[in-house]
Amino acid sequence: MSILDRLSRLLRANVNDLISKAEDPGKIIEQALRDMRAAYAEARSEVADAMSQNAKLEREANTNRRMAAEYEKKAEEALRGGSEELAREALRRSQNAKDLAAGFEEQLQVQSSTVEQLKTQLRALEAKIDEMESKKSLLAARQKTAQAGATLDRVSGFDKAGGAMDAFEEMEQKVSGMEDRNRAMQDLRKENDFDAQLKDLGRTQALDDAMAALKAKVQGEGGGTGGS
């Protein structure tokens, strides 16, 4: 796992823990920076270890190349001295040393590639820390501005007034609803009293007819009295 992968896991764990505790953004980013600096120190140590391993591999390769050359020289001396058996053993050891040197050189190439990758990650991590440092200052300024806006709302009473206005509007809606219901009930009662209205209308007409008859009678009696 790369340095940045491990850092990413660490940051997610720590930041999620802070968020779950409802910490403010400033504390979250400060904790993230502490984690990143710790990871940077660890990364530098890893790069240093890898570079020291490079040096060791190169030293082993050089040592075995030198031994191979020395055994070749001894093989030549043994052969000149008439000892073919010693010359053969010296050549065998020389070949072993050459094989080891080749193995160390191959491992050195792999290790060098790893070192370069670690250096790249280290530079990327360093740039990320610088970026977070800049964002930290910007975030702090934004947070103060937001806090100032919240304070202004509290001082101006808008937060409390807003609640009171909501309550007033709700009560107004309730009263309007009651008035609408009363009007509906009145209309309903009028519809239910339709028969009664017709009955009253009939009684009124009968009363009018009786009154007209009474007037005619009285007028008729008055006219008869005047004729006698």
Side-chain angles (χ1 to χ4, degrees):
M1 184 185 298
S2 71
I3 297 170
L4 295 183
D5 287 338
R6 291 200 305 274
L7 173 63
S8 178
R9 290 173 181 267
L10 176 65
L11 288 180
R12 281 199 297 270
N14 288 346
V15 170
N16 287 340
D17 182 58
L18 288 174
I19 292 175
S20 66
K21 295 177 181 178
E23 297 286 359
D24 63 75
K27 290 183 179 180
I28 292 175
I29 200 169
E30 183 57 46
Q31 180 61 53
L33 278 169
R34 283 196 292 268
D35 293 340
M36 292 176 77
R37 294 187 191 104
Y40 182 76
E42 180 184 348
R44 282 179 61 89
S45 178
E46 287 189 25
V47 172
D49 289 343
M51 292 177 68
S52 67
Q53 182 66 14
N54 264 17
K56 180 179 179 180
L57 290 170
E58 186 173 6
R59 184 168 58 252
E60 290 289 346
N62 290 335
T63 297
N64 279 277
R65 278 196 296 268
R66 185 174 61 254
M67 289 177 61
E70 290 176 356
Y71 277 120
E72 270 192 20
K73 185 178 180 181
K74 289 180 179 179
E76 182 179 345
E77 291 174 354
L79 188 59
R80 286 176 179 173
S83 179
E84 186 174 337
E85 188 67 24
L86 285 178
R88 182 179 295 275
E89 177 61 22
L91 285 177
R92 187 185 66 78
R93 293 186 182 187
S94 175
Q95 188 59 48
N96 286 342
K98 288 179 180 179
D99 291 342
L100 284 174
F104 281 119
E105 287 173 353
E106 182 179 355
Q107 188 60 37
L108 177 60
Q109 291 179 357
V110 175
Q111 183 68 14
S112 297
S113 177
T114 300
V115 169
E116 289 305 315
Q117 291 177 6
L118 287 172
K119 287 181 177 180
T120 299
Q121 292 182 6
L122 188 64
R123 288 191 292 269
L125 180 56
E126 187 174 8
K128 196 66 178 177
I129 291 174
D130 291 340
E131 179 185 351
M132 291 287 284
E133 288 283 4
S134 300
K135 287 184 176 181
K136 175 186 173 183
S137 301
L138 176 59
L139 181 61
R142 289 170 58 188
Q143 185 178 8
K144 288 182 179 180
T145 301
Q147 288 173 343
T151 301
L152 179 61
D153 285 343
R154 288 195 299 271
V155 172
S156 64
F158 278 133
D159 54 342
K160 295 180 180 178
M165 290 172 64
D166 290 341
F168 180 81
E169 290 177 358
E170 182 179 356
M171 183 57 66
E172 186 178 21
Q173 291 176 0
K174 287 184 178 181
V175 171
S176 297
M178 292 173 63
E179 291 175 344
D180 292 340
R181 187 175 185 278
N182 288 339
R183 282 193 292 270
M185 291 300 294
Q186 289 174 4
D187 292 341
L188 185 59
R189 281 195 296 271
K190 286 180 182 179
E191 291 179 4
N192 290 338
D193 291 342
F194 183 69
D195 292 337
Q197 292 174 21
L198 291 176
K199 188 175 181 181
D200 289 342
L201 181 61
R203 283 197 295 268
T204 301
Q205 185 63 45
L207 181 60
D208 290 343
D209 292 344
M211 179 60 72
L214 181 58
K215 286 182 179 179
K217 182 180 178 181
V218 172
Q219 292 175 356
E221 291 177 351
T225 303
S228 62

